[in-house]
Amino acid sequence: MTKITDAQQIETFYQALLAKDQHYVGIFYAGVTTTSIFCIATCRARKPKFEHVEFFSTFKAALQAGYRPCKICRPTENAAEAPQEVRRAIELIRQNPKQKISDSILSAQQISPETIRRWFKKHYGITFQTFQRMYRINQAYQELKSGKNVVNTAYDSGYESLSGFSYMYKQILNNSPSQHSHNDIMLINRLTTPLGPMFICATAKGVCLLEFVDRRMLETAFRDLQNRLKMPIIFGENEHIRQTKRELQEYFQGTRYHFTVQLHTPGTEFQQAVWACLTQIPYGQLTTYKQQAHSIHRPLAVRAVASANGCNRVSIIIPCHRVIGSNGDLTGYGGGLERKRWLIEHEKSHVVDCGDGV
């Protein structure tokens, strides 16, 4: 648990909390011991006394310590959400997918190139220029798939030469533009939720990954997906990703009880059976690994079922959080047990409204 213990740092953070200093958003999370709520620096709620607050360096640590997200400042969403400058820079890419957004263009829009570079390195692990190159190549890929020829696609994508376009295309998609019919790609995007930011991946067939960005071994899951699907992962967005974002927002608002987005989840026959069983667990209800094993007619495969649940890459939509131990204990959730507890309580609090809803 990353609880802050340095006295001087605690005093600094407390003063920042009193001042609602936006520079400390995401730097610390303040847990109020009298209410069991935790907040970010800019929260508008009444400030606690010094002796009633403790600080954490991550919202996950605050959750693990038993605190609940504040409903006023929504710390797990707003601390992880891209700042306004970053959102504007991303919007520039979306509005101008074939144009290279240079530092001078950012500066002309009163956007700091340095801020953008730091944020992308920290939250995506790549540069802003790499991010927009992926968007441009994805746009070109879609045009080639629709029948546009390579030369027109290259120059319309803002490249000054066919060789430059071909080089970048091959770097990202592992094939030349002329072999676009052999290319299938996996798109990755980022979204924020009340429990923190998540990565979402989707192919043309459906969503293949939805995980919290701080999940342990996430990079291994990415590599495994690429090996199984034989596809590169590039940043972009398709209808499956957009639909998932809409449905997840409704889920967290308590108005959606079933997901309809298409899934593309490669796995063994046994894993597929286990994951299909998970999707049959009703909203707001729980089952055990033993009951799940019986449901797939493999009563002796309890451990194997638990292992297959752990291999589920599509959190929430394939609801492995609804499975608990036979003794009633919460066990084995990749996003962390406090998130699992939150999801279970969230669904229980809305199940009375479920009926035959969405």
Side-chain angles (χ1 to χ4, degrees):
M1 184 183 300
T2 49
K3 179 180 176 181
I4 307 300
T5 57
D6 181 84
Q8 185 174 356
Q9 199 170 33
I10 290 172
E11 178 61 35
T12 299
F13 288 170
Y14 184 68
Q15 293 304 318
L17 182 66
L18 294 180
K20 302 177 185 176
D21 192 334
Q22 64 178 357
H23 293 99
Y24 285 84
V25 171
I27 302 300
F28 68 76
Y29 299 84
V32 183
T33 59
T34 53
T35 61
S36 295
I37 298 295
F38 74 96
C39 308
I40 53 176
T42 54
C43 186
R44 296 179 285 104
R46 183 178 178 181
K47 302 305 178 185
K49 293 182 179 179
F50 181 80
E51 60 268 25
H52 294 157
V53 64
E54 52 187 1
F55 296 93
F56 302 88
S57 59
T58 67
F59 67 78
K60 192 173 183 180
L63 285 168
Q64 290 172 340
Y67 289 98
R68 304 186 309 276
C70 172
K71 292 184 178 180
I72 296 176
C73 65
R74 297 181 298 166
T76 55
E77 294 177 74
N78 293 330
E81 187 176 19
Q84 184 179 16
E85 276 190 300
V86 174
R87 294 200 301 272
R88 288 173 57 209
I90 293 175
E91 191 58 29
L92 278 176
I93 293 175
R94 288 174 175 162
Q95 291 177 356
N96 307 278
K98 299 181 179 182
Q99 179 183 2
K100 180 180 179 181
I101 308 300
S102 63
D103 284 359
S104 60
I105 291 175
L106 291 174
S107 298
Q109 296 290 325
Q110 284 76 54
I111 299 173
S112 166
E114 292 76 17
T115 297
I116 302 304
R117 280 195 289 270
R118 285 197 301 269
W119 193 90
F120 270 85
K121 266 296 185 183
K122 178 180 179 180
H123 293 276
Y124 280 163
I126 60 173
T127 66
F128 176 66
Q129 298 302 330
T130 298
F131 178 83
Q132 64 171 307
R133 276 198 295 269
M134 287 181 173
Y135 256 90
R136 292 168 72 197
I137 292 299
N138 179 37
Q139 180 78 15
Y141 165 80
Q142 300 298 338
E143 291 183 358
L144 290 171
K145 280 284 191 181
S146 69
K148 193 171 181 178
N149 69 53
V150 174
V151 174
N152 289 340
T153 299
Y155 289 107
D156 286 350
S157 296
Y159 287 87
E160 296 180 356
S161 68
L162 183 59
S163 60
F165 170 71
S166 298
Y167 173 80
M168 190 54 60
Y169 192 98
K170 190 170 184 178
Q171 284 287 105
I172 294 175
L173 297 186
N174 300 327
N175 270 327
S176 66
S178 60
Q179 295 176 302
H180 65 270
S181 60
H182 303 296
N183 281 335
D184 285 311
I185 61 173
M186 193 182 340
L187 298 177
I188 184 171
N189 215 285
R190 186 178 184 272
L191 65 151
T192 58
T193 78
L195 290 177
M198 303 183 79
F199 280 129
I200 178 171
C201 294
T203 66
K205 294 182 180 179
V207 171
C208 50
L209 181 140
L210 178 65
E211 290 286 8
F212 293 99
V213 300
D214 57 4
R215 173 167 180 163
R216 193 170 59 89
M217 304 294 287
L218 185 57
E219 290 185 4
T220 301
F222 286 144
R223 286 196 297 271
D224 180 60
L225 260 182
Q226 290 181 92
N227 290 334
R228 286 178 179 272
L229 296 176
K230 308 301 181 186
M231 298 181 190
I233 297 178
I234 69 172
F235 280 93
E237 193 175 58
N238 62 14
E239 183 50 42
H240 300 305
I241 290 175
R242 288 188 286 270
Q243 181 181 349
T244 300
K245 288 182 177 181
R246 292 193 298 269
E247 293 192 1
L248 273 178
Q249 183 178 30
E250 293 164 356
Y251 170 83
F252 281 111
Q253 290 171 344
T255 59
R256 174 170 289 277
Y257 317 107
H258 309 284
F259 292 93
T260 62
V261 66
Q262 291 184 334
L263 301 179
H264 184 189
T265 53
T268 66
E269 185 177 344
F270 180 80
Q271 288 174 332
Q272 295 288 353
V274 171
W275 299 337
C277 182
L278 286 172
T279 63
Q280 299 305 308
I281 305 172
Y283 179 94
Q285 296 186 28
L286 302 177
T287 190
T288 66
Y289 298 107
K290 185 176 181 179
Q291 290 170 328
Q292 196 179 359
H294 277 277
S295 295
I296 63 170
H297 309 294
R298 298 285 297 275
L300 300 181
V302 177
R303 289 191 177 182
V305 164
S307 177
N309 281 0
C311 292
N312 171 33
R313 307 178 197 90
V314 186
S315 298
I316 302 176
I317 295 175
I318 299 179
C320 53
H321 62 273
R322 295 175 190 163
V323 184
I324 61 175
S326 295
N327 60 359
D329 288 346
L330 300 187
T331 57
Y333 189 63
L337 292 185
E338 289 307 317
R339 284 190 177 121
K340 183 170 185 172
R341 180 176 289 109
W342 190 99
L343 290 167
I344 291 172
E345 292 177 354
H346 169 75
E347 293 185 3
K348 284 184 177 180
S349 68
H350 291 93
V351 72
V352 291
D353 303 322
C354 180
D356 295 322
V358 177

